[in-house]
Amino acid sequence: MTYYKPLQYIVPPEDEGMLLKTVLQNRMGLSRKLLSRLKLTEEGITVNGERRYISVKVKAGDRVAVRMEVEASDDILPQPMPLDILYEDDELLVLNKEAGRIVHPTHGHYTDTLANGVVHYWQEQGKSFRFRPIHRLDQETSGTLAVAKNPYVHQQISEEMQTTGLKKEYLAFVHGQLEPDEGTVDQPIDRDPEAPHIRIVTPSGYRSVTHYRVERRFADATLVRLWLETGRTHQIRVHMRHLGHPLLGDKMYGPPEEEGAFGLQRHALHACLLGLTHPVRREWMVFEAPLPEDLQQLLRQLEGGE
């Protein structure tokens, strides 16, 4: 059995006599689910190199180590494709996803996804990980996307996302003159009962909060920076439509004439920034993806019409 690089914790004097279970949960941040899994792993939990029950008490200076088994994405077909990698280490991979690329294989769409390309990239390096995206981006949305390389990292960043510790910023081009210059949309979202693949603002929906700030105004459009408190499907697109300013190029939530409008082949939304606390290094890290060429071209087009 092979393992990833272990997570380690040296017990400080103030933790003398603490239960190993408490160290694992409160000091190292392991979830109950992951803890249960590690208890069944041969070298999953050790103290000073020896396997221990989680009911034992630790001593100052003890080296607590957690080892997770090496995994693979055997259900994802490796496929070569260009990847724009913003950052990578033993625990985390951050990518700049191109527009038009689905993140994960779905029913009837098993190839040409970002997952296929990442699995091939790891295979070429002789490494094995399970593809675990921290969050998703719509097929047409470009920009920053983080992938965890083990269940601990996925759990830690997912929890950070639930407590709004994760910072996600987007740039969007919307129709018309959005007023005021900054604001918050706090409107619940759920599926449209008449078209389940579409989301709508509805009183019976799930709380959804989007903050925005106008970056630049043009004759018939506004460039907006947005950041999210919640992460509902199509949230930005639905909230902007609710305000009467749908995204340029949005064929699902925009006006009927959106097909090919402004020369766009997709909706004008880009995940420009991702900020998170590295689960192992415990450092705050920020990753930025520049505006892609199609949106730069849109920007030049809008500037010409000012």
Side-chain angles (χ1 to χ4, degrees), residues 87-100:
Y87 176 83
E88 184 177 19
D89 61 20
D90 292 337
E91 292 82 28
L92 190 64
L93 174 68
V94 182
L95 300 153
N96 179 13
K97 185 185 88 68
E98 63 179 320

Side-chain angles (χ1 to χ4, degrees), residues 115-134:
N116 298 113
V118 170
V119 169
H120 178 269
Y121 165 71
W122 284 335
Q123 189 179 73
E124 289 292 291
Q125 291 185 316
K127 297 178 180 179
S128 181
F129 302 101
R130 182 179 170 189
F131 183 77
R132 284 187 171 89
I134 302 300

Side-chain angles (χ1 to χ4, degrees), residues 27-244:
R27 297 294 187 263
M28 301 182 73
L30 272 64
S31 66
R32 290 184 180 180
K33 181 179 179 181
L34 183 54
L35 185 57
S36 297
R37 177 176 170 181
L38 290 169
K39 285 165 60 179
L40 301 176
T41 303
E42 185 177 350
E43 296 180 42
I45 301 170
T46 61
V47 178
N48 300 325
E50 297 184 10
R51 192 174 182 182
R52 289 284 186 267
Y53 290 111
I54 63 173
S55 57
V56 303
K57 293 182 178 181
V58 298
K59 299 177 181 178
D62 280 349
R63 186 179 74 255
V64 178
V66 168
R67 292 176 177 83
M68 288 163 282
E69 299 175 59
V70 168
E71 301 172 303
S73 292
D74 295 327
D75 56 335
I76 298 176
L77 180 68
Q79 182 181 0
M81 68 178 61
L83 298 175
D84 186 356
I85 297 174
L86 300 176
Y87 176 83
E88 184 177 19
D89 61 20
D90 292 337
E91 292 82 28
L92 190 64
L93 174 68
V94 182
L95 300 153
N96 179 13
K97 185 185 88 68
E98 63 179 320
R101 184 77 69 186
I102 293 176
V103 173
H104 202 282
T106 58
H107 180 68
H109 201 125
Y110 302 108
T111 59
D112 296 318
T113 73
L114 190 65
N116 298 113
V118 170
V119 169
H120 178 269
Y121 165 71
W122 284 335
Q123 189 179 73
E124 289 292 291
Q125 291 185 316
K127 297 178 180 179
S128 181
F129 302 101
R130 182 179 170 189
F131 183 77
R132 284 187 171 89
I134 302 300
H135 56 104
R136 302 293 177 95
L137 294 177
D138 293 343
Q139 180 177 356
E140 294 185 10
T141 304
S142 55
T144 55
L145 185 138
V147 179
K149 290 187 174 182
N150 63 57
Y152 173 77
V153 171
H154 188 269
Q155 169 221 314
Q156 291 288 297
I157 300 180
S158 296
E159 288 179 0
E160 185 177 24
M161 186 161 55
Q162 294 300 318
T163 59
T164 70
L166 198 72
K167 184 177 184 180
K168 293 189 289 182
E169 291 189 4
Y170 297 79
L171 287 173
F173 293 86
V174 303
H175 282 276
Q177 296 292 323
L178 179 60
E179 298 285 355
D181 285 343
E182 56 184 61
T184 296
V185 187
D186 187 346
Q187 294 290 338
I189 293 175
D190 205 350
R191 294 179 184 271
D192 184 340
E194 297 182 2
H197 64 290
I198 294 176
R199 267 60 176 180
I200 58 173
V201 168
T202 172
S204 61
Y206 299 93
R207 185 169 186 257
S208 308
V209 182
T210 304
H211 305 282
Y212 73 86
R213 182 179 69 241
V214 170
E215 295 282 297
R216 193 167 174 185
R217 297 185 183 278
F218 307 97
D220 301 310
T222 306
L223 174 59
V224 190
R225 183 177 295 270
L226 309 105
W227 55 101
L228 308 178
E229 277 192 30
T230 55
R232 309 300 177 198
T233 300
H234 301 172
Q235 179 174 317
I236 288 175
R237 299 163 66 191
V238 174
H239 274 169
M240 291 299 100
R241 179 190 185 185
H242 178 74
L243 293 181

Side-chain angles (χ1 to χ4, degrees), residues 218 260-264 294-306:
F218 307 97
F262 294 90
L264 286 169
D294 63 335
L295 297 187
Q296 289 188 38
Q297 184 175 341
L298 172 64
L299 178 60
R300 292 191 290 268
Q301 181 182 347
L302 293 171
E303 287 174 336
E306 284 182 326

